[in-house]
Amino acid sequence: MPPRKRPPRPNATAMKMIGEQVATGRVAKKLTQSQLADLVNMDCETIASIEQGRRVLMPDVAERMDRALGLPGVLAVAALRMPEVDMIPAWAEEYFEREREALALSWFDTMIVPGLLQTEAYARAVLSCRVPYVGEAKVELQTARRMKRQEILRRAVPPTLSFVIWEPALRDRIGGPNVYREQIRHLRECAEMPSVSVQVLPLGLTAQAGLNGPFILVETPQFQHLAYSETQRGSLLVRDPNEVSILTQKYAMLRSQALNVAETKGLLDRLLGES
């Protein structure tokens, strides 16, 4: 049988139309993709992907392009009017870009240790649990990519990172006892980093604000506030201020319901003692 083609993304024509607008404006200003990339503080590959309709043009980037190309808000309006389905980025590429440059991240997770705090062995075990299984080669590529994302922890000025983790994520022994022990020890070490706050949302609460699932809040270098969430079959980058505000309120409540930082360190020490 011939290989099955991946279906086109819904409303891909809207992305292509906006990409053509970017290319037309760039050519009119007699700029190369590389020159435009320098003006808007992006890499040339990203400009090419936007122009080809393969990557969503985000509103803050659109505003910078409008200024660089002398356009009266044309691209900003187009980005804001993008059909909502196109705000679901392929392979979460848009979120990864925001994560890499973030000033601050606030992360609530329920089933696993957050990706930025995972050991390589734990990440590999988590990715190997996916059904259908994608094969060893792809798991290794995904593991390497997840480890590379952790470079932001080693930035000269790292982002401010806050994590609230539901206790069951620390009770499951994904990967076996050795992987589990290494992961808890690593999490305990991360909890001592000056830019990192780790709190555990304990079992046994009579009410908690995270019943609708995990999410991440992002503050960009332009002081834009975004949110990101994943489902079983997709991901969503949220930029509507009202929706981001709702998730920000949820996160504040989760932090108040979670163990404080000192109590969390005590719990991690007990888990290490039991492992």
Side-chain angles (χ1 to χ4, degrees), residues 15 17-26 36 40 47 50-51 57-82 239:
M15 294 170 64
M17 181 183 69
I18 292 175
E20 288 173 4
Q21 289 176 330
V22 172
T24 299
R26 175 180 59 77
L36 178 58
V40 298
I47 298 295
I50 291 171
E51 290 190 357
L57 177 61
M58 301 301 290
D60 59 319
V61 176
E63 290 175 3
R64 300 204 299 271
M65 285 186 173
D66 277 334
R67 289 194 294 270
L69 300 175
L71 298 174
V74 172
L75 298 176
V77 170
L80 287 168
R81 298 290 184 179
M82 177 72 70
R239 52 190 175 82

Side-chain angles (χ1 to χ4, degrees), residues 178-198:
N178 292 335
V179 171
Y180 171 80
R181 189 179 305 108
E182 180 191 27
Q183 177 58 66
I184 296 298
R185 183 179 298 111
H186 178 67
L187 191 59
R188 181 64 178 84
E189 292 169 356
C190 289
E192 294 294 343
M193 297 174 70
S195 62
V196 175
S197 165
V198 179

Side-chain angles (χ1 to χ4, degrees), residues 18-123:
I18 292 175
E20 288 173 4
Q21 289 176 330
V22 172
T24 299
R26 175 180 59 77
V27 171
K29 293 289 285 187
K30 298 181 180 178
L31 296 172
T32 64
Q33 289 181 341
S34 180
Q35 289 170 328
L36 178 58
D38 289 340
L39 288 172
V40 298
N41 193 29
M42 301 183 77
D43 59 77
C44 192
E45 280 188 15
T46 301
I47 298 295
S49 294
I50 291 171
E51 290 190 357
Q52 293 163 17
R54 294 188 289 108
R55 180 165 295 190
V56 174
L57 177 61
M58 301 301 290
D60 59 319
V61 176
E63 290 175 3
R64 300 204 299 271
M65 285 186 173
D66 277 334
R67 289 194 294 270
L69 300 175
L71 298 174
V74 172
L75 298 176
V77 170
L80 287 168
R81 298 290 184 179
M82 177 72 70
E84 188 64 26
V85 68
D86 279 336
M87 291 298 102
I88 304 175
W91 306 109
E93 287 177 0
E94 294 293 337
Y95 168 72
F96 291 147
E97 288 182 15
R98 297 296 186 259
E99 181 185 83
R100 187 165 53 247
E101 64 183 13
L103 292 179
L105 292 168
S106 300
W107 190 316
F108 172 57
D109 225 321
T110 58
M111 303 303 295
I112 58 173
V113 172
L116 292 181
L117 303 180
Q118 292 178 6
T119 65
E120 183 174 346
Y122 180 87

Side-chain angles (χ1 to χ4, degrees), residues 246-267:
I246 290 170
L247 290 173
T248 300
Q249 293 173 57
K250 282 179 180 282
Y251 194 79
M253 183 62 73
L254 284 165
R255 291 199 71 180
S256 73
Q257 295 169 335
L259 302 177
N260 65 34
V261 171
E263 291 167 338
T264 293
K265 291 176 182 178
L267 173 60

